[in-house]
Amino acid sequence: MTATSPEKTGPSPEQLDRRGAATRELVNRLVLGLIAAVLALVFAAIITSIVLEVTGHDPVDALRRMVDYGTTSDSIAAIINQATTYYLSAVAVAIGFRMNLFNIGVDGQYQLAALLAAAFGGEVVLPNGLHQLAIIVVAMLVGSLWAGLVGVLKATRGVSEVISSIMLNFVASGVIAYLLTPKRLGQLSGENLTTKPIDGSGQVRGLALIPGAHTKVYGLVFLAVIVGIAFQLLISRTRFGFDLRATGRSASAAQASGVNVKRMVIVAMLLSGAVAGLVNMPVLLGDAHNYSLSTPSGIGFTGIAIALLGRNNPLGIVFASLLWAFLDTSSNILQISNIPTAIVTITEGVVVLSAVVAFELVRRYALRRQQSRVGAELGTTSADAEALA
């Protein structure tokens, strides 16, 4: 008598219903998020148009000039390059935001990391590949350690990360001014102070990705892609990411479930600082090849706005970074056309504020829909379901 193997059956109706409900919920969230983003952009466009009209400029003409200039081959390459650094800065901020930590010190972290990494890269000569990797590792270590001070102060002494990170920004500026002198890490280059140039083995060549463009895309654009993928996997696919999000939602509840909140604070700041250390690497290795007084600053604060606009989501931050880079790059044509470039600053500010408001309204609407659905299933009213929630 032969044993018969049990017949394979597919998913049960209950499982199919749950999967269908989850899919519908995901689609609803995506649609509502898209609606919120569109509303924010429309509102920002309206405010900007009003400002342009009041100042005596044609809004349609200004927008047409920006679009025409921003869609040229060289402008597209410049937008991608600028968006790369913006993206890294925003991800560094978003790591802290996911745990309810406000790392406002990204600016000091990436500036100090860029200086020491550039000085290291200019002093050593290593084989191609190893040289670039060593410079990147040094930058990550410096940014991580500088941000780690913020985490240690919060975990051990309860010091607000906002206050300590702002203060460390000024400390970093002082340290940079002290080190970037001819007697230490700097050297005179005309009227500028720079570190020793990085040898060719430590440079990363640009990529001719945009047909017809004279400007090349930074070779480290793929570093931003890797960071974004790693961030998404860390947050959504690991136990650490779950603990990070749980601690951000409620530190007391996470503590009660066995999460070491103090350790999570320190580790989150170390990770945020490590990504912050990468912010200037595309420019350093792909274009400047040294650190100088003209090294871009303020990218850390821009990253805060972009992280908010992108909802701390790796994919959302991509679109927010590209939008911000487009506005910054296309604003160059406004100056040539005698239109105040402050118009773009107004647009960027209104976009962030309106996005925050729009996403909050969408969140409340989605919550009410969910409460109504739960109430319908339980046979209660929407008010009863809200009271139970």
Side-chain angles (χ1 to χ4, degrees), residues 38-61:
V38 171
L39 288 175
L41 290 175
V42 170
F43 183 72
I46 293 173
I47 297 298
T48 304
S49 298
I50 293 173
V51 174
L52 284 168
E53 285 284 359
V54 170
T55 55
H57 299 93
D58 183 4
V60 177
D61 180 63

Side-chain angles (χ1 to χ4, degrees), residues 280-302:
N280 200 56
M281 290 301 100
V283 179
L284 177 64
L285 301 185
D287 183 23
H289 306 139
N290 61 33
Y291 183 92
S292 68
L293 296 176
S294 59
T295 296
S297 61
I299 300 176
F301 297 105
T302 303

Side-chain angles (χ1 to χ4, degrees), residues 250-273:
S250 174
S252 57
Q255 184 83 42
S257 64
V259 177
N260 188 333
V261 174
K262 292 184 177 180
R263 183 179 69 85
M264 292 296 297
V265 168
I266 295 175
V267 174
M269 289 306 300
L270 288 173
L271 288 175
S272 179

Side-chain angles (χ1 to χ4, degrees), residues 48 51-53 55-66 330-345 347:
T48 304
V51 174
L52 284 168
E53 285 284 359
T55 55
H57 299 93
D58 183 4
V60 177
D61 180 63
L63 179 61
R64 180 184 58 79
R65 289 173 182 269
M66 290 179 66
S330 60
S331 66
N332 295 327
I333 196 64
L334 297 182
Q335 191 170 6
I336 299 175
S337 305
N338 295 322
I339 300 175
T341 55
I343 294 296
V344 172
T345 305
T347 302

Side-chain angles (χ1 to χ4, degrees), residues 119-140:
F120 169 80
E123 291 295 333
V124 303
V125 178
L126 298 171
N128 190 22
L130 184 61
H131 198 169
Q132 296 99 323
L133 180 61
I135 294 172
I136 291 174
V137 170
V138 169
M140 294 180 68

